[in-house]
Each structure stands twice: as structure tokens, then as C-alpha cells.
Amino acid sequence: MLEIAKSGRAKCRKCKQAIGKGELRFGEETVNQFSDSGEPSYFWYHLACAAKAKPKLLKTDLEKYEGEVPERAELEKTIAASAGKEKPSKFPYAEKAPSGRSRCLACELAIEKDTLRVAIEREVDTGSFVTKGAGYLHPKCAPEFVEEPEGLLELVKANSTSLDAAALAELEAALG
Ligand SMILES: [Zn+2]
Ligand SMILES: [Zn+2]
């Protein structure tokens, strides 16, 4: 959400600098596990920082905001430039492999650079503790590996908003 900062105490989550009192700021709603009242709490950002770090969320909020937004055109340019680079935040998603180093969880063969891969969340045992991280699959290997292959294509499509039409067609052929 967008609001005028009521105090100058909040720090921007991206650049760690204070957000000035009276400045229009962007709040990303987060679940506050220490609050019983269910009151949402927010991570605050300077608008220019949010345009880089949270382009999609900021875009939605800018569209809803009826007040004056300083340098709106400049912000929209930054949002457009950042949106394509934003990593999907939800699993499962699909992306072009940035390197040839990942291995498919199902067939254990390497996933070639610049080819599509499906990322799923999985538990990773580091030896001292178990954490969650991304695991990767060839699209054609994904249906047999995941627990619920029926809804996989829809989920992946919903979470992978930066894919082009050719990539989507490839996904549909492999997962559909
Ligand atoms: Zn900032
Ligand atoms: Zn595979």
C-alpha cells in the first residue's frame, strides 16, 4: 500500500536509509506472527527502491492510489525495466536456466543453459540442518516427479508471469 509517512522512523528495506516524514512510501504487507490481533504489519520502501525491488506489487498499488505521486512517470519506467527481471516468489515456477549447472531432480541429467526448467520447493539437508530451497526439473520430467501433476501447468503459468509466448507453449506441450 502507499501512504504518507507519519513519522521519519521507518527504514527502507532495500537501501536501509530512513524514509522521511511526509514522504510517500510503499508498504509490503507481511504476516506478523507476534501479533494476536491479526493486524498486518509492513515492510517499508522508498518508492524508487520499491520500483526496483517490488515492481509488480508497486504497480498494482500505484494504479489504486488516488493521491499525487511525485515522479510517477519515472517510477513507471523503472517498474517496467525491473518487472521482467523479478524472480517469481512462489513455487512452482518456470524460468530459463541461467547456467548449465542445475541438475534435474527426476532424471539427474544437467539442465542446459537457456532451456526451460521448472522450479519446485523442496527440503534440502545441509548436513547440520534441513532448510527449504529450489529444486529444478526438466519440464517433461516434472509431471512424473511432483505429487499433484494435474494442476501443475496452471500453477506454473500463474507464478511465471515473465515467460514469453514460446516458453508458455513449450510448457504446455510438456506439462499439459
Ligand atoms: Zn530506499
Ligand atoms: Zn529430467
Side-chain angles (χ1 to χ4, degrees), residues 26-57:
F26 166 75
E28 179 190 18
E29 195 172 324
T30 86
V31 178
N32 181 357
Q33 69 247 76
F34 304 107
S35 154
D36 303 324
S37 61
E39 283 264 308
S41 57
Y42 294 92
F43 293 143
W44 296 108
Y45 295 83
H46 294 110
L47 289 189
C49 292
K52 291 188 196 124
K54 301 281 165 186
K56 284 177 195 141
L57 290 174

Side-chain angles (χ1 to χ4, degrees), residues 37-109:
S37 61
E39 283 264 308
S41 57
Y42 294 92
F43 293 143
W44 296 108
Y45 295 83
H46 294 110
L47 289 189
C49 292
K52 291 188 196 124
K54 301 281 165 186
K56 284 177 195 141
L57 290 174
L58 178 62
K59 184 165 192 267
T60 314
D61 282 1
L62 271 179
E63 279 160 10
K64 284 186 290 195
Y65 188 71
E66 288 171 355
E68 181 97 4
V69 179
E71 301 179 33
R72 183 189 272 264
E74 198 55 38
L75 282 174
E76 280 169 355
K77 254 192 252 168
T78 311
I79 288 171
S82 310
K85 285 182 269 174
E86 192 179 20
K87 271 247 171 206
S89 54
K90 274 197 233 149
F91 292 101
Y93 62 83
E95 64 179 4
K96 294 269 169 77
S99 76
R101 288 196 304 270
S102 60
R103 268 177 201 285
C104 175
L105 291 171
C107 70
E108 297 185 348
L109 295 174

Side-chain angles (χ1 to χ4, degrees), residues 12-17 19 45-50:
C12 171
R13 205 166 157 84
K14 177 158 167 42
C15 71
K16 317 290 183 221
Q17 305 295 312
I19 300 171
Y45 295 83
H46 294 110
L47 289 189
C49 292

Side-chain angles (χ1 to χ4, degrees), residues 104 106-107 138 140-141:
C104 175
C107 70
H138 294 111
K140 67 175 165 49
C141 299

Side-chain angles (χ1 to χ4, degrees), residues 93-140:
Y93 62 83
E95 64 179 4
K96 294 269 169 77
S99 76
R101 288 196 304 270
S102 60
R103 268 177 201 285
C104 175
L105 291 171
C107 70
E108 297 185 348
L109 295 174
I111 298 172
E112 270 180 62
K113 185 169 193 263
D114 292 328
T115 61
L116 268 183
R117 65 183 183 184
V118 175
I120 59 166
E121 189 171 52
R122 59 169 183 148
E123 296 201 328
V124 183
D125 193 340
T126 64
S128 44
F129 61 95
V130 176
T131 181
K132 289 197 166 163
Y136 301 103
L137 292 156
H138 294 111
K140 67 175 165 49

